[in-house]
Amino acid sequence: MKKAFKIIGITLLIILAILLAIPFVFQSQIEKIVQRYADENLNAKVSFSSVNLSFIRSFPNAQVDINDLVITNFKPFEGETLATSKSISLAMPIKEVFKSSSDEPLTINSINLDETLLTLKTNTLGDVNYDILKESETKNNDSSDAQGFTFDVKDYSINNSAITYIDESSNTSFFITEFNHNGKGTFSGELSELDTKTEGKISLNIDSTNYLDNNTLKLDALIDLDLNKNKYTFKENKGLINQLPITFNGFVQQIENGQLIDITFENPGSSFKDFLAVIPKTYSKDLENVETTGDFKLNGMVKGEITDNSIPNLDIKINSNNASFKYPDLAKRVENINIDVAIKNTTGNTDETYVDINALNFKIDQDVFKASGTLKNITDNMLVNLDIDGVLNLSNLKQAYPINLDQDLSGILKTKLNTAFDMEAIETNAYSRIKNTGTASITGFTYSSEDMVNPIQISNADMTFKPGTVSLNSFNAKTGSSDLAATGSINNLLGYLLSDKKLQGNFNVSSQQFLISDFMEADDNAKEKNKTTADSESLKIPDFLDCTIYANAKTVVYDNLNLKNVVGKLVIKDQRATLSNMTSDIFDGKMSISGDVSTQGTKPSFNINLGADGFDIAQSFTDLDLLKNLAPIAKILDGTLNTTINLKGDLNESFSPDLQTVSGDAFAEVLTRELNAENSKLLTALESNLNFIDFNQLDLKDLKTNLTFDNGKVNIKPFYIKYKDIDIGIAGSHGFDKSLDYNLVFNVPAKYLGSDVNRLIGKINDPEVNKISIPISANIAGSFTNPKVSTDLTSGVSKLMKQLVEIQKQKLLSQGENTIKDILSDVMTGNSGNSNTPKDSTVIKTDTTKTNTPNTEQTIKNILGGLLNKNKQKKDTVNLK
């Protein structure tokens, strides 16, 4: 006996050793088998890190573990991942491992998937990414001869997985996360039973509307399988959506053109708490201690065929009568809740599915809200017809329901409205098909957001609804120290509220006082309370606005500027505000503005034409930063200014021009004759270098100049002014950083160049000399606060002195030649120089004797020598100092 047991033990050990060793022998072969079956049966790229074979784990079956599986699509979803799985375990009879022919089907008994991510997609052309099974080349032969897998599943499971479904054509997305599903049964028999358990969290979005948001789903389903008839019957099925229990029964059967469905369902309880359980827990919070009264009933039927042209008949009812609820930590009770809603389709035509809202009523304190209506053609171009009648104290909402709001609501909303429209009319702004009649008003409403510095307090707003338009009869509000009043019309209020359309309208807006700082800046307390936008972020013109505003404001305050009687037109569209015909009283003159401001890019930008008529120069160039930087020296002028400025550039975070980006041009006309030179370091520095000019007496009559600016510099085109009989030419540039680079040319008459020059002019004693002038150049560098002035005054005076000396020389030479001529004439005529002897009676006697000749020549030499010596002495004695 011992020997028998010994033999049996040794045999078992040998068998065990073989079972442990064989997988290593067939390791590479099994990988090839898995890869071959994948390549031959799937139109997709399949890869994995490894395949492990074991004869022990699932004995007497073999177990194949495929690790790190990745399935990647071919066209038209090329490169997109269809599925990934950390591990897939397949249990199969051991003999299946030894099949070498790909023509033989592979039998699998159980499947277990761990951490599998499946992404199913339908694109706008109707292509799907999950249709990856290859068609069998022998599909026309007996099915038993076909390639592929044969399932004889005893059990299967999917653990810690997720499924995503995206339909781009209908803008639908469906998600299941934390998905766990398992089933026990068999698919091999003609009649069998499958016992399944499922849990996960589901989310559903359709056309940007969130219908389910991470809702808990649990389902225990016992399913009868009739594989001959392709019929699946549900019995003893219990589900849980969030905390709402559902029971259902019926069947789904595969037919030639689709599926045949016959299912009924209901919630087994009748407490109104079941209705609150349908609401996502994020919004409904903890329901455990909520007090409820009244009933809630959900039941329905889905019966008929699903084909390409039809859907099953629907009859789903939601009812509640005189219900109420109160959360334990909130002060208000919601009561008199009546719900009577039905979802129906009696024809099987998809387009004829409709929703009857017979009643949707509730009451908070004394405020009663009622709604009723119908939603038809809900799967295509939905037709809406609603009646709304009620009063809501908005501050009660948060006191009655645990809703998370970014701000506390306040105000009384009253509405009595009927609206009828189709969704296509909303999307295409077909106003003739939008029928709104009724009124709505709100009083005592306060609104704030993270991008607002101060809350907007709306004292009252009153609207009348008419087909195609909404009339804003009155709107009065205040924010900070600013007040607003408006009337006008809104073209597509429903388009804005129900879709992604922009708010279109025309408004007349008036204000007694409008402070830009109420919208652009905040004190520390206001910033902490209301504004969360980062300081480095620029404010944006709202993208949802597409409107025209006619503005009339008595006072607009921007920084230190007070604009009076602001009137103009403002068009806002696509984050761009366009101003036209805007005028204002400021600096004792009139300002006009046209152009636009845009916040479309990463940095706000502007392109503005600014006109000034009769500006007080000193005030405007002191208070207005733009003018101050264009012409800092202008602030010393007393008088008025006319100018036109065209400029563009970027705006900084406070919506002020970024001067380093500003470019444009300007034309200015100065209407003044007065100058306060003592207020300018620049003019003081010039006067200290040019003592012949008094800048307080400059003639600035009809001064006109042109400027261009770019890259942080202002370039002044040459212009001319006058000081007495001195012409002055000015040109150059300065930077917005206050740097200077100017050249001035003074055309200075000689008489202004000092006492030495004037004495020399007096000695010359010639009126023409007084007309002589020379150009004196002055270069200005440095900055406005520390100017550096250099001139060529010394060299100019030196050149002038040389010029005057040359004039005197020529004049003396001219005088000497006349004297010689006179003497020679006297000599030739024998005139002794006696002034009493008439020149005409002089008798010239010619003596040809030699004794007369030397006397005559010597006489002429002596006369000429004396004149020349006399002239030389005069030149050398001129005082140049």
Side-chain angles (χ1 to χ4, degrees), residues 146 258 362 496 565 593 854:
F362 63 88
Y496 167 66
N565 303 319
I593 305 174

Side-chain angles (χ1 to χ4, degrees), residues 54-172:
S54 172
F55 291 144
I56 301 298
R57 294 176 189 171
S58 300
F59 188 83
N61 290 323
Q63 179 172 320
V64 177
D65 294 327
I66 304 172
N67 301 311
D68 302 320
L69 176 73
V70 178
I71 302 176
T72 307
N73 282 111
F74 294 151
K75 291 181 178 180
F77 298 92
E78 187 171 9
E80 296 185 11
T81 300
L82 171 63
T84 64
S85 183
K86 182 178 181 181
S87 174
I88 298 178
S89 296
L90 308 174
M92 62 186 72
I94 292 178
K95 65 179 181 178
E96 299 297 309
V97 177
F98 299 98
K99 288 183 177 179
S100 60
S101 173
S102 60
D103 294 333
E104 298 181 76
L106 188 66
T107 300
I108 297 176
N109 294 336
S110 67
I111 304 175
N112 295 287
L113 290 79
D114 286 325
E115 297 183 26
T116 297
L117 304 177
L118 181 63
T119 302
L120 309 178
K121 181 181 288 188
T122 302
N123 64 18
T124 55
L125 300 176
D127 301 318
V128 296
N129 72 335
Y130 48 85
D131 185 13
I132 62 173
L133 286 176
K134 291 182 178 181
E135 294 185 6
S136 173
E137 296 179 358
T138 59
K139 62 182 179 180
N140 294 324
N141 298 332
D142 185 82
S143 60
S144 63
D145 295 329
Q147 299 178 16
F149 298 91
T150 297
F151 290 96
D152 188 15
V153 178
K154 299 296 187 297
D155 64 78
Y156 65 93
S157 66
I158 303 173
N159 305 308
N160 298 322
S161 297
I163 299 174
T164 296
Y165 173 73
I166 299 173
D167 188 339
E168 295 177 346
S169 61
S170 62
N171 195 19
T172 298

Side-chain angles (χ1 to χ4, degrees), residues 68-341:
D68 302 320
L69 176 73
V70 178
I71 302 176
T72 307
N73 282 111
F74 294 151
K75 291 181 178 180
F77 298 92
E78 187 171 9
E80 296 185 11
T81 300
L82 171 63
T84 64
S85 183
K86 182 178 181 181
S87 174
I88 298 178
S89 296
L90 308 174
M92 62 186 72
I94 292 178
K95 65 179 181 178
E96 299 297 309
V97 177
F98 299 98
K99 288 183 177 179
S100 60
S101 173
S102 60
D103 294 333
E104 298 181 76
L106 188 66
T107 300
I108 297 176
N109 294 336
S110 67
I111 304 175
N112 295 287
L113 290 79
D114 286 325
E115 297 183 26
T116 297
L117 304 177
L118 181 63
T119 302
L120 309 178
K121 181 181 288 188
T122 302
N123 64 18
T124 55
L125 300 176
D127 301 318
V128 296
N129 72 335
Y130 48 85
D131 185 13
I132 62 173
L133 286 176
K134 291 182 178 181
E135 294 185 6
S136 173
E137 296 179 358
T138 59
K139 62 182 179 180
N140 294 324
N141 298 332
D142 185 82
S143 60
S144 63
D145 295 329
Q147 299 178 16
F149 298 91
T150 297
F151 290 96
D152 188 15
V153 178
K154 299 296 187 297
D155 64 78
Y156 65 93
S157 66
I158 303 173
N159 305 308
N160 298 322
S161 297
I163 299 174
T164 296
Y165 173 73
I166 299 173
D167 188 339
E168 295 177 346
S169 61
S170 62
N171 195 19
T172 298
S173 58
F174 178 76
F175 306 94
I176 303 179
T177 58
E178 301 178 31
F179 180 58
N180 292 280
H181 172 79
N182 63 77
K184 293 181 181 296
T186 178
F187 288 100
S188 61
E190 293 181 0
L191 295 173
S192 58
E193 187 177 72
L194 184 65
D195 189 4
T196 66
K197 294 182 181 297
T198 305
E199 63 179 30
K201 294 185 180 297
I202 59 174
S203 299
L204 175 63
N205 296 282
I206 301 177
D207 198 20
S208 302
T209 300
N210 180 227
Y211 290 95
L212 298 172
D213 186 12
N214 215 29
N215 290 41
T216 298
L217 170 67
K218 291 185 178 181
L219 177 64
D220 295 341
L222 188 62
I223 306 172
D224 280 343
L225 306 178
D226 186 340
L227 298 183
N228 283 337
K229 295 181 179 179
N230 288 322
K231 185 176 180 179
Y232 310 92
T233 302
F234 300 94
K235 58 183 184 179
E236 300 179 17
N237 298 286
K238 297 178 182 179
L240 193 69
I241 301 177
N242 264 4
Q243 299 177 50
L244 174 66
I246 292 288
T247 62
F248 63 96
N249 57 71
F251 69 86
V252 176
Q253 184 176 6
Q254 193 75 26
I255 59 177
E256 183 176 355
N257 297 323
Q259 295 87 34
L260 176 64
I261 296 179
D262 187 351
I263 292 177
T264 60
F265 60 90
E266 66 176 348
N267 63 315
S270 61
S271 169
F272 186 75
K273 188 176 290 188
D274 290 344
F275 171 75
L276 296 179
V278 180
I279 302 171
K281 192 172 182 179
T282 303
Y283 305 107
S284 61
K285 306 301 181 184
D286 187 3
L287 298 177
E288 183 177 353
N289 297 316
V290 176
E291 299 176 10
T292 63
T293 63
D295 59 6
F296 171 75
K297 197 66 179 176
L298 169 67
N299 58 70
M301 175 272 293
V302 180
K303 185 175 184 178
E305 295 181 357
I306 297 179
T307 68
D308 292 338
N309 302 314
S310 66
I311 63 171
N313 292 348
L314 303 174
D315 188 2
I316 302 171
K317 297 177 181 178
I318 303 171
N319 294 95
S320 182
N321 295 303
N322 198 27
S324 71
F325 68 86
K326 182 182 182 301
Y327 279 79
D329 298 328
L330 300 179
K332 303 292 183 181
R333 175 181 291 273
V334 181
E335 52 191 355
N336 292 357
I337 301 172
N338 292 283
I339 302 173
D340 185 359
V341 177

Side-chain angles (χ1 to χ4, degrees), residues 35 118 264 426 711:
Q35 187 69 61
L118 181 63
T264 60
I426 296 293
N711 297 322

Side-chain angles (χ1 to χ4, degrees), residues 851-869:
T851 57
N852 292 332
T853 300
N855 293 332
T856 302
E857 291 177 355
Q858 188 62 44
T859 300
I860 292 173
K861 289 180 180 179
N862 291 339
I863 292 172
L864 291 174
L867 288 173
L868 293 173
N869 289 334

